[in-house]
Amino acid sequence: MKKAVSFILIFVIICGMISSATAYAIKPVTDKELQITAPSAVLMEKETGLIIYKKNADERRAPASITKIMTLLLIIEDIESGKLSLTDTVTASKRAASFGGSCVYLEEGERMSVDEMLKCIAVVSANDCAVAMAEHLCGTEQAFVERMNERARELELKDTHFTNCTGLFDDKDHYTTACDVAVMSRELISHDLIKNYSTIWMDSIRGGEFELSNTNKLVNRYDGCTGLKTGYTSTAKYCLSATAERDGMEFIAVVMGSKDSELRNSDASALLNFGFANFSLCPLRMDDPLPALPVELGKEKVLPLKYAGGEYALVPKGNTNPEYELLLPETVKAPVKEGQILGELVVKTEAAGELARIPLMAAKDVEKLGFFGIMGMLGKSLLGL
């Protein structure tokens, strides 16, 4: 059975590959051997964003606290843009302190650093801290929710809409899909800062007086787990976006609507295991630097090149020793504009054949020589200079 599944996977993936910059059209595989019990699930590879497995992945569902993936993303982005600092102090409002569910029991007027707030949201899914951060950043939770929806539109999450920043309340207008959760999870883990928090198993706040234990048990159970976020309400059931990294490759497993936490964790583990067992990343860049192209009648004699598109292709295991072929003209005529396509890199493996054709672009502008420049060049040539 396993050999048959592997053969089908390789056949589907190779047949789906498209010769373009980074387009590797892998048809998602539904593998009965995985025995995913959750009604909705997705497995995505982080680097390429390719979906390997999907089950009712575009079905709109209540997300519970995996809502906080978007909440965390906005906080992290504000930190990395300089709008917010980890050392900034956040004061809990009466409203924030009133929130129940998963929380750290903030008191009205209690002050915590952004660093501590992030820890509480990521580790124990603290609703009170999520609301406190939303109010700190935007004045009100509703204004922050507007930002969440705007960011969802930027990420082209067409089946996602938020009405709160916690996921605590089940609302018919508060929904997302397993596929959309994978996309926003991918965006969040592209910021290494989040892993300082999402990988914490146990910690404490308030000088050690209040202990924190991660709601994501895979952090302690699954080799290479890097996060990311759990969720539960009576309507959403048990949800999880689990991320794990091994040997430089990271997968995102999303399960929604599981009957209990153990099934949620076993489904996510099975998806991650499937990814690591069957796939590898193949580099779409040569080890050696790209050559420079000679320029005819240009103000500069040579032109540096740069790659377009992604850096890796997702391939079946055993296809990670690529061969590269440069297709370039001997020279290029000025003028040349930065970004102008001048050639391509063909990437192949022995088992899979051609994986991709990567466009090679001009790395800078090169202007054409004027009349006096051309005459000067001719003069130097005649003089043997």
Side-chain angles (χ1 to χ4, degrees):
M1 176 63 180
K2 289 184 178 179
K3 288 182 178 179
V5 169
S6 297
F7 176 80
I8 293 169
L9 277 170
I10 292 171
F11 178 81
V12 169
I13 292 167
I14 293 172
C15 289
M17 289 180 178
I18 300 173
S19 295
S20 65
T22 56
Y24 310 99
I26 295 179
K27 182 179 179 181
V29 176
T30 300
D31 178 13
K32 293 181 180 179
E33 191 178 31
L34 281 173
Q35 297 180 345
I36 300 302
T37 63
S40 181
V42 157
L43 178 65
M44 175 186 283
E45 191 279 317
K46 174 202 169 186
E47 185 69 34
T48 61
L50 291 175
I51 291 177
I52 299 163
Y53 173 92
K54 63 191 302 185
K55 177 182 179 180
N56 300 322
D58 298 316
E59 181 179 271
R60 292 181 178 181
R61 305 185 65 89
S65 280
I66 57 175
T67 295
K68 296 186 182 84
I69 293 169
M70 182 61 80
T71 302
L72 288 164
L73 175 61
L74 294 183
I75 296 170
I76 294 291
E77 287 179 339
D78 276 3
I79 291 169
E80 296 196 344
S81 70
K83 296 177 182 177
L84 185 67
S85 170
L86 288 171
T87 58
D88 287 351
T89 300
V90 180
T91 303
S93 69
K94 181 178 181 179
R95 183 172 183 275
S98 72
F99 272 72
S102 297
C103 61
V104 296
Y105 307 101
L106 289 175
E107 295 183 0
E108 182 182 358
E110 184 174 358
R111 295 157 65 86
M112 277 191 183
S113 67
V114 170
D115 176 66
E116 287 181 307
M117 288 281 181
L118 268 174
K119 185 193 300 184
C120 294
I121 298 169
V123 177
V124 297
S125 194
N127 295 312
D128 44 2
C129 292
V131 174
M133 283 302 308
E135 293 175 341
H136 181 78
L137 289 173
C138 295
T140 66
E141 181 187 4
Q142 197 52 47
F144 184 81
V145 170
E146 289 176 10
R147 277 190 62 191
M148 293 171 70
N149 287 318
E150 180 183 356
R151 192 70 180 94
R153 288 190 291 271
E154 290 171 357
L155 293 172
E156 299 183 356
L157 308 182
K158 297 179 181 179
D159 292 300
T160 294
H161 186 264
F162 302 107
T163 61
N164 62 78
C165 71
T166 63
L168 177 62
F169 307 108
D170 291 319
D171 183 328
K172 64 180 178 62
D173 293 322
H174 187 89
Y175 55 80
T176 188
T177 67
C179 189
D180 283 2
V181 171
V183 173
M184 66 179 93
S185 297
R186 182 187 181 215
E187 192 70 19
L188 179 56
I189 62 175
S190 70
H191 303 276
D192 290 337
L193 178 60
I194 188 58
K195 294 177 184 178
N196 293 347
Y197 303 95
S198 61
T199 57
I200 293 172
W201 172 232
M202 299 189 75
D203 208 324
S204 64
I205 55 172
R206 300 182 180 118
E209 293 181 4
F210 191 93
E211 294 186 352
L212 308 175
S213 179
N214 205 316
T215 59
N216 180 10
K217 304 311 176 188
L218 295 187
V219 169
N220 191 45
R221 296 180 188 173
Y222 192 86
D223 180 29
C225 184
T226 56
L228 185 62
K229 192 70 200 70
T230 62
Y232 170 80
T233 65
S234 58
T235 298
K237 303 303 180 185
Y238 292 86
C239 303
L240 172 63
S241 178
T243 56
E245 183 175 10
R246 295 179 188 172
D247 300 322
M249 184 167 57
E250 192 163 10
F251 287 99
I252 302 158
V254 179
V255 294
M256 301 185 72
S258 291
K259 292 181 180 179
D260 60 50
S261 60
E262 285 303 315
L263 284 173
R264 173 181 71 183
N265 294 339
S266 63
D267 277 350
S269 297
L271 287 166
L272 294 170
N273 287 340
F274 184 75
F276 288 120
N278 288 283
F279 298 95
S280 301
L281 286 175
C282 178
L284 301 179
R285 303 287 188 268
M286 300 188 302
D287 291 334
D288 296 329
L290 288 170
L293 278 180
V295 182
E296 296 180 21
L297 302 179
K299 289 187 176 181
E300 297 188 42
K301 292 183 178 180
V302 294
L303 172 68
L305 299 174
K306 61 182 180 181
Y307 296 98
E311 295 185 23
Y312 295 92
L314 187 67
V315 296
K317 278 210 167 176
N319 286 273
T320 52
N321 295 313
E323 299 175 2
Y324 301 105
E325 181 184 3
L326 280 171
L327 300 179
L328 290 169
E330 292 184 2
T331 63
V332 61
K333 291 183 178 181
V336 182
K337 292 292 185 182
E338 182 179 356
Q340 184 176 330
I341 304 297
L342 300 172
E344 59 186 7
L345 175 70
V346 181
V347 185
K348 304 176 182 178
T349 67
E350 184 176 347
E354 186 174 304
L355 290 179
R357 289 177 176 254
I358 309 301
L360 303 177
M361 308 184 299
K364 60 189 294 186
D365 292 341
V366 175
E367 296 180 12
K368 186 175 181 179
L369 283 172
F371 174 78
F372 293 107
I374 293 173
M375 295 306 295
M377 184 181 68
L378 290 173
K380 288 180 180 180
S381 177
L382 289 172
L383 295 171
L385 298 177

